Amino acid sequence: MRVLGANKGKTYFGKVLRDGGVAIIEDGKLIVAIPEERTSREKAAGGFVYSLSAVLNSLHITMNDFDLVVLSTCCESEDRARLGHHLEGHKNLITVNHHLSHAYKAFFQSGFDEALVVVVDGGGNTFSNIESENWWHLPREQHSYFVADKTSTRLVDRDFFNPYEVGFGELYRAFTYYLGFGSARFASQTMALAAFGMRDRFGKRYCIQITDGHLVVPLENDSNDPIGMVRHLGQTIGLDFGEPREPTEEILSIHRDLAAYIQMCVEDMFIEKLRWLKDNFPSKNLCLSGGFFLNCVVNGRIAKEGLFDNVYVPSAPGDSGQCIGNAIYGAVSHGTNASIYTFTCKKSEDVALGLDHTIDYPTLSEVLVNSGCQTYVTFEPQSLPTIIAKLVSSDTAVAVFEGRSEIGPRALGHRSILADPRNEHARYYLNQLKSREWFMTFAPVIFRDRCQELFDMWVESPFMSFAVPTKKDICDRIPAVVSKDGTSRIQTVERGSATFIGNVLTQFEHTTGMPVLLNTSFNRGGEPIVESLQDAVQSFSQAPINALVLNRFLVVKKLTPQFIELGLLASSYDIPIKIHDREEGETNFEGNTPYELIHWIQHNTGQIVFVRNYFPLYKEYIKLVDTHKKQTTTRFRPYSAEIPSRILLPLLETDDFGKPKTNKITRWAEIVGITYKRFGELTDEDANKDGFESTHAMRDKFTKEIYPGLKDKDWVTIYSIRWNDGGAIQLQN
Ligand SMILES: [Fe+2]
């Protein structure tokens, strides 16, 4: 059974909704989930036009291949989800309530037997079929509380469901506007600024009350006038919040304190509500869902209070994860064999559900060339995590594109920028790169088994969901990832995790002793997180960042001595190197540093440069090597000229013209000269030295088998080789 979950981009009456996306469950397994913004390239885009098209293409299926389509909406009634979009006519389309979808996502991904499930966001469905742009005039969902177990997910309580009531999501949004941050999307700025303020500037005069377990905010909602709402709230409770801040205005102490005040109010009152819920609906497990729980300071506080043994926040607790909730709801409630554990999601690798982007060198080089990045140098190191750990530990931030993207607003290692948390400057540099406010903090990724050494309290946080207090003596050691209030928004990783981020962390710990990396999402200010190879290269080309991982490749804009120290490049090339061009004749390269060589190649051939660190060789040709009938090896890479990482490179046998299956080194190739030629200018002598009878035989083999698509105008790299067994020389990178 194949189920599609998606959330609408517009209400039936035309209100634009945010954070769309699609998820697919196939035979009880979540196989893909991607937010709309990643494919439309519009930040926080709603709906599913681009994302649906992308997954259908990727999986080679059509809408007819879905047995069930589950849609949700908000700011209108639940059943309106079936109207006003291009899937309206699907044969088996059902709808799910907005908050119930959030609850399903959190509970079924938690792996708990039973739990109290709390959903808080800016608003879900209305309980009315009246169509109104002023949806807050209607009864609606804002806070919903469920009890879930193996057999049911049951609504047990709500807050703020009457017309005009203001829930925590709307309240926080209003303060975010008041503080000049523009929209609810920037609520994280209010949260970050709160760490710099005094929570007690206004005493303990809360703007939220709780009576008999029910939360009250003495304020009427006017979603069109959030600033007026805060002003009115201050007047009502007798507090002077000062004037609203203009977006360009300096941040003053009143603004910091106001951020701290609203953070204190929602935290303290939410804890009171949880106490009441726990008393009335006892459970040792708590699931938190809805966009409000992107507030990792609130989540950290809830964990710290210890009311529940286990607290689970899913990745993408906001509406970008709603597509998953919808799909799970469909799979669980409509006849699949899904058990409550089918969708358990507790590791960062469980949420790498984006599109599959295989990267081969021809595609990569074409994207690099089309992006105008001819001056970049590409490597394919053997031990990429070690190289990255060393680059990061020497203050080089590295952008990472690895495997499938993670769903959710936080990159967890697949679409990340990694930096050294020990370097305070990294925070300023990355805030500039991402056009963020100076006070925004970055998150550490850390091995779970070393959390106790670094933090006063910690919690399982694979999705960067909890801010926890950092030990005092540690704060100064990792200043780039500790907030002003001493907390860190941790991402915990299991030791031994075979993920790329886990491997880099292992190597970073090995190099520095510190089991922590700064991990932030790979995007520039205002951009969604990169999804495709093209997005990654474009973002990289325009950002002040020097190194980019693209699956097994490393692309570097500017070479520095550290690339020689890391063994990625020879310090000199004391061999004859020449460029042969029919019109220009033969040019001999006189320089001997890699920088000069690369510049010379790029200038003379217009090609990008790939640094080779081993020779794969088809086993049929090995005998030509052994009988000295092969003195050269001629290599082609689209749009590229090659240089070797050093003069002695290992020879790895292959079963065909592909990659070697093992790194077992049987022979070594000592490079004694390099010539760059256009393929059409190869002579019989070139062919003979490479072990071919004639240019005709060589051209036939090259264009039909080894390098299909190779044209006469393309540049090839000819290595003159002296073969030897290499003795005890080891492969270094
Ligand atoms: Fe929501």
Side-chain angles (χ1 to χ4, degrees), residues 74 98-99 102 119-124 290-291 317-319 322:
C74 70
H98 188 92
H99 275 202
H102 278 312
V119 178
V120 178
D121 60 13
D319 285 359
Q322 178 104 152

PDB file of all heavy atoms in Angstrom, residues 74 98-99 102 119-124 290-291 317-319 322, ligand 1:
ATOM      1  N   CYS A  74      -5.104  24.296   7.451  1.00  0.00           N
ATOM      2  CA  CYS A  74      -5.333  25.008   8.702  1.00  0.00           C
ATOM      3  C   CYS A  74      -6.033  26.325   8.400  1.00  0.00           C
ATOM      4  O   CYS A  74      -6.172  26.708   7.240  1.00  0.00           O
ATOM      5  CB  CYS A  74      -4.044  25.206   9.501  1.00  0.00           C
ATOM      6  SG  CYS A  74      -2.889  26.351   8.784  1.00  0.00           S
ATOM      7  N   HIS A  98      -5.735  18.975  11.667  1.00  0.00           N
ATOM      8  CA  HIS A  98      -4.376  19.536  11.719  1.00  0.00           C
ATOM      9  C   HIS A  98      -3.626  19.125  13.003  1.00  0.00           C
ATOM     10  O   HIS A  98      -2.491  18.638  12.945  1.00  0.00           O
ATOM     11  CB  HIS A  98      -4.470  21.064  11.629  1.00  0.00           C
ATOM     12  CG  HIS A  98      -3.159  21.756  11.483  1.00  0.00           C
ATOM     13  ND1 HIS A  98      -2.603  22.079  10.268  1.00  0.00           N
ATOM     14  CD2 HIS A  98      -2.255  22.182  12.414  1.00  0.00           C
ATOM     15  CE1 HIS A  98      -1.434  22.675  10.448  1.00  0.00           C
ATOM     16  NE2 HIS A  98      -1.201  22.756  11.755  1.00  0.00           N
ATOM     17  N   HIS A  99      -4.261  19.296  14.129  1.00  0.00           N
ATOM     18  CA  HIS A  99      -3.575  18.958  15.384  1.00  0.00           C
ATOM     19  C   HIS A  99      -3.454  17.448  15.576  1.00  0.00           C
ATOM     20  O   HIS A  99      -2.469  16.969  16.153  1.00  0.00           O
ATOM     21  CB  HIS A  99      -4.286  19.607  16.577  1.00  0.00           C
ATOM     22  CG  HIS A  99      -3.821  21.011  16.803  1.00  0.00           C
ATOM     23  ND1 HIS A  99      -3.940  21.656  18.010  1.00  0.00           N
ATOM     24  CD2 HIS A  99      -3.207  21.891  15.974  1.00  0.00           C
ATOM     25  CE1 HIS A  99      -3.429  22.881  17.910  1.00  0.00           C
ATOM     26  NE2 HIS A  99      -2.991  23.046  16.676  1.00  0.00           N
ATOM     27  N   HIS A 102      -0.363  16.469  13.766  1.00  0.00           N
ATOM     28  CA  HIS A 102       0.839  16.754  14.569  1.00  0.00           C
ATOM     29  C   HIS A 102       1.021  15.689  15.655  1.00  0.00           C
ATOM     30  O   HIS A 102       2.140  15.239  15.934  1.00  0.00           O
ATOM     31  CB  HIS A 102       0.710  18.120  15.256  1.00  0.00           C
ATOM     32  CG  HIS A 102       1.060  19.296  14.387  1.00  0.00           C
ATOM     33  ND1 HIS A 102       2.192  19.354  13.621  1.00  0.00           N
ATOM     34  CD2 HIS A 102       0.433  20.493  14.204  1.00  0.00           C
ATOM     35  CE1 HIS A 102       2.250  20.528  12.987  1.00  0.00           C
ATOM     36  NE2 HIS A 102       1.192  21.241  13.320  1.00  0.00           N
ATOM     37  N   VAL A 119       0.122  19.359  21.614  1.00  0.00           N
ATOM     38  CA  VAL A 119       0.281  20.056  20.332  1.00  0.00           C
ATOM     39  C   VAL A 119       0.023  21.541  20.544  1.00  0.00           C
ATOM     40  O   VAL A 119      -1.041  21.926  21.040  1.00  0.00           O
ATOM     41  CB  VAL A 119      -0.693  19.501  19.270  1.00  0.00           C
ATOM     42  CG1 VAL A 119      -0.550  20.283  17.959  1.00  0.00           C
ATOM     43  CG2 VAL A 119      -0.448  18.016  19.031  1.00  0.00           C
ATOM     44  N   VAL A 120       0.996  22.360  20.206  1.00  0.00           N
ATOM     45  CA  VAL A 120       0.838  23.815  20.297  1.00  0.00           C
ATOM     46  C   VAL A 120       1.412  24.439  19.024  1.00  0.00           C
ATOM     47  O   VAL A 120       2.550  24.146  18.647  1.00  0.00           O
ATOM     48  CB  VAL A 120       1.580  24.399  21.525  1.00  0.00           C
ATOM     49  CG1 VAL A 120       1.434  25.929  21.561  1.00  0.00           C
ATOM     50  CG2 VAL A 120       1.066  23.798  22.824  1.00  0.00           C
ATOM     51  N   ASP A 121       0.611  25.257  18.365  1.00  0.00           N
ATOM     52  CA  ASP A 121       1.125  25.991  17.205  1.00  0.00           C
ATOM     53  C   ASP A 121       0.382  27.311  17.082  1.00  0.00           C
ATOM     54  O   ASP A 121      -0.364  27.704  17.978  1.00  0.00           O
ATOM     55  CB  ASP A 121       1.042  25.148  15.925  1.00  0.00           C
ATOM     56  CG  ASP A 121      -0.371  24.729  15.564  1.00  0.00           C
ATOM     57  OD1 ASP A 121      -1.319  25.291  16.146  1.00  0.00           O
ATOM     58  OD2 ASP A 121      -0.518  23.843  14.705  1.00  0.00           O
ATOM     59  N   GLY A 122       0.563  27.988  15.958  1.00  0.00           N
ATOM     60  CA  GLY A 122      -0.109  29.272  15.768  1.00  0.00           C
ATOM     61  C   GLY A 122      -1.587  29.114  15.451  1.00  0.00           C
ATOM     62  O   GLY A 122      -2.307  30.108  15.361  1.00  0.00           O
ATOM     63  N   GLY A 123      -2.051  27.913  15.280  1.00  0.00           N
ATOM     64  CA  GLY A 123      -3.461  27.681  15.000  1.00  0.00           C
ATOM     65  C   GLY A 123      -3.628  26.551  14.003  1.00  0.00           C
ATOM     66  O   GLY A 123      -2.900  26.474  13.018  1.00  0.00           O
ATOM     67  N   GLY A 124      -4.603  25.690  14.273  1.00  0.00           N
ATOM     68  CA  GLY A 124      -4.880  24.578  13.369  1.00  0.00           C
ATOM     69  C   GLY A 124      -6.192  24.801  12.648  1.00  0.00           C
ATOM     70  O   GLY A 124      -6.442  25.881  12.118  1.00  0.00           O
ATOM     71  N   GLY A 290       4.017  20.497  16.993  1.00  0.00           N
ATOM     72  CA  GLY A 290       3.527  21.826  16.609  1.00  0.00           C
ATOM     73  C   GLY A 290       4.694  22.801  16.589  1.00  0.00           C
ATOM     74  O   GLY A 290       5.709  22.607  17.273  1.00  0.00           O
ATOM     75  N   GLY A 291       4.536  23.864  15.802  1.00  0.00           N
ATOM     76  CA  GLY A 291       5.648  24.798  15.581  1.00  0.00           C
ATOM     77  C   GLY A 291       6.176  25.459  16.839  1.00  0.00           C
ATOM     78  O   GLY A 291       7.342  25.864  16.891  1.00  0.00           O
ATOM     79  N   PRO A 317       8.856  19.531  14.023  1.00  0.00           N
ATOM     80  CA  PRO A 317       7.602  19.530  14.786  1.00  0.00           C
ATOM     81  C   PRO A 317       6.565  20.488  14.214  1.00  0.00           C
ATOM     82  O   PRO A 317       5.380  20.346  14.492  1.00  0.00           O
ATOM     83  CB  PRO A 317       8.048  19.989  16.189  1.00  0.00           C
ATOM     84  CG  PRO A 317       9.299  20.763  15.970  1.00  0.00           C
ATOM     85  CD  PRO A 317       9.965  20.140  14.778  1.00  0.00           C
ATOM     86  N   GLY A 318       7.014  21.458  13.401  1.00  0.00           N
ATOM     87  CA  GLY A 318       6.089  22.427  12.816  1.00  0.00           C
ATOM     88  C   GLY A 318       5.391  21.878  11.584  1.00  0.00           C
ATOM     89  O   GLY A 318       5.405  20.667  11.314  1.00  0.00           O
ATOM     90  N   ASP A 319       4.808  22.773  10.797  1.00  0.00           N
ATOM     91  CA  ASP A 319       3.963  22.321   9.693  1.00  0.00           C
ATOM     92  C   ASP A 319       4.743  21.681   8.549  1.00  0.00           C
ATOM     93  O   ASP A 319       4.155  20.948   7.746  1.00  0.00           O
ATOM     94  CB  ASP A 319       3.121  23.490   9.165  1.00  0.00           C
ATOM     95  CG  ASP A 319       1.983  23.819  10.113  1.00  0.00           C
ATOM     96  OD1 ASP A 319       1.854  23.131  11.146  1.00  0.00           O
ATOM     97  OD2 ASP A 319       1.229  24.764   9.840  1.00  0.00           O
ATOM     98  N   GLN A 322       4.112  18.215   8.837  1.00  0.00           N
ATOM     99  CA  GLN A 322       2.715  17.798   8.828  1.00  0.00           C
ATOM    100  C   GLN A 322       2.453  16.725   7.769  1.00  0.00           C
ATOM    101  O   GLN A 322       1.633  15.819   7.964  1.00  0.00           O
ATOM    102  CB  GLN A 322       1.825  19.029   8.571  1.00  0.00           C
ATOM    103  CG  GLN A 322       0.369  18.732   8.491  1.00  0.00           C
ATOM    104  CD  GLN A 322      -0.440  19.132   9.717  1.00  0.00           C
ATOM    105  OE1 GLN A 322      -1.603  19.409   9.604  1.00  0.00           O
ATOM    106  NE2 GLN A 322       0.145  19.169  10.871  1.00  0.00           N
TER     107      GLN A 322
HETATM  108 FE    FE B   1       0.624  23.376  12.876  1.00  0.00          FE
END
